Amino acid sequence: MTTEDETTPPVAPGRYDVATRGEAVRLPDWMTGEDAATPLTRGERIRLVWSRGRGKRHVAGVVLLALALLGATATLGHVAVDRIRAGTAQPTASPTPSPVPLSQVGERRDLFAGSAAADFAVGQEALTLPRATATGPFTAAEVAAALTRVRTALTAARLDLAMLLGDPEPFLALLAPDARRELAHDFDGNTFLNYATRIGSRDEAGEVRARGTIRYRATRNENGVPVLEITTAYVWVYAFDVPRTTPGQAGLAAIRDEVVWHVPRSDGLPAAQRGLWLVSARASTSNVECSRLAEGFLTVYPWMGGPGSFKPC
């Protein structure tokens, strides 16, 4: 036991100091419950309610955020599906177009795309006649009639399906009778290719485009007869639907020709010499199968190299 003289050993001051002897020990209000008797202020009540509901609010916020993300994902998914179904799921920026457009199943390819003939006129649209005016002994009406004859002959020789498939009669029927008999022998070989085209197969006969000029003048033939001389100079490009690895040219065969036609004055001429005459023709070819050309048929060369790879026969 200790005596009253004895003193309590000193305790080093620290964080957890207690009251010294003889002093009443006061407990904090929260341990005694005495604070419950003191009414809360309005601000304290609000803070209390807010602190008690803080956990619930955090959970509710997380749930709402998750629902919003799910809704946005579903909306974007529906938009993408709708665009794919409608064929419009493409970037807003327009991509650089390919020089060789790809065709859909059942659609016809543009075989001229990417070639030098892409902007050539199609078929007879290329046969634009010059303005007919009186020249020499020929009136404007006679010049117009002669130009129309030549245009019809060009169409029959280079564009009509009959000639393309090997029937020259519709073309020959447009010539003067004597001229018809002379040119008929050309079709026994291949010299007619200087002024006419034979492909030989309906399946191969595709679109034809052309570009050139037609000019005329009054002159005399070798017999001294006044004639209207009409010169046509054209590039004819024939499309063949064949596989190709490069833009343009690989499916196209071309003929460049220059043909001179005469329409004589009919005064004093025998009936067999009246009408249209083909007096000269020359031509060169590009990107054609030379062995088939020797047989009298225009066929595209099977080589599918790049531009500049094609040699004339």
Side-chain angles (χ1 to χ4, degrees):
M1 294 182 61
T2 60
T3 63
E4 294 180 0
D5 305 333
E6 296 173 342
T7 59
T8 303
V11 178
R15 183 175 180 183
Y16 300 104
D17 292 347
V18 295
T20 59
R21 176 178 298 181
E23 293 181 352
V25 177
R26 178 178 176 81
L27 299 176
D29 293 342
W30 62 269
M31 293 182 65
T32 63
E34 294 178 5
D35 60 338
T38 304
L40 297 175
T41 65
R42 181 181 180 185
E44 290 173 335
R45 288 198 302 272
I46 292 175
R47 286 195 297 272
L48 179 61
V49 172
W50 178 261
S51 61
R52 287 177 180 175
R54 183 177 301 170
K56 294 181 181 179
R57 284 193 299 274
H58 285 175
V59 173
V62 171
V63 171
L64 289 176
L65 179 60
L67 290 176
L69 291 175
L70 288 175
T73 302
T75 301
L76 292 176
H78 282 300
V79 171
V81 170
D82 291 341
R83 286 185 177 179
I84 292 173
R85 288 176 177 173
T88 59
Q90 297 180 1
T92 54
S94 300
T96 302
S98 170
V100 183
L102 300 178
S103 64
Q104 302 296 326
V105 176
E107 294 183 0
R108 191 169 183 172
R109 287 192 300 157
D110 181 2
L111 301 176
F112 292 88
S115 75
D119 59 347
F120 282 17
V122 178
Q124 292 187 53
E125 295 178 5
L127 307 180
T128 304
L129 298 178
R131 180 171 175 267
T133 59
T135 179
F138 298 91
T139 65
E142 290 173 328
V143 171
L147 289 172
T148 300
R149 283 186 176 185
V150 168
R151 186 178 190 273
T152 303
L154 283 174
T155 301
R158 293 296 193 190
L159 302 175
D160 282 357
L161 191 60
M163 179 66 80
L164 295 179
L165 298 184
D167 181 9
E169 291 304 321
F171 165 73
L172 293 173
L174 300 173
L175 305 178
D178 283 356
R180 186 184 313 157
R181 282 189 290 270
E182 290 181 11
L183 292 185
H185 298 293
D186 290 349
F187 294 91
D188 296 334
N190 65 359
T191 56
F192 69 89
L193 289 170
N194 286 323
Y195 56 84
T197 305
R198 177 190 293 168
I199 292 176
S201 170
R202 183 182 294 271
D203 294 335
E204 292 182 292
E207 186 176 276
V208 185
R209 297 191 184 185
R211 172 177 289 177
T213 60
I214 300 176
R215 63 184 188 274
Y216 62 90
R217 65 171 185 153
T219 186
R220 293 179 179 270
N221 65 13
E222 57 185 9
N223 297 322
V225 177
V227 297
L228 185 68
E229 182 177 274
I230 301 172
T231 302
T232 60
Y234 271 86
V235 176
W236 310 87
V237 184
Y238 297 80
F240 293 82
D241 195 358
V242 297
R244 56 181 175 169
T245 59
T246 56
Q249 293 201 38
L252 305 177
I255 300 176
R256 180 187 297 272
D257 66 15
E258 183 176 276
V259 184
V260 179
W261 313 77
H262 280 180
V263 178
R265 293 277 301 179
S266 59
D267 299 344
L269 284 181
Q273 296 180 13
R274 297 175 184 174
L276 181 64
W277 289 72
L278 192 159
V279 297
S280 70
R282 58 182 181 177
S284 61
T285 60
S286 177
N287 197 29
V288 302
E289 175 56 64
C290 295
S291 61
R292 290 290 286 161
L293 194 70
E295 298 171 357
F297 296 94
L298 183 75
T299 305
V300 71
Y301 187 62
W303 170 253
M304 291 184 289
S309 301
F310 313 116
K311 306 298 182 183
C313 295

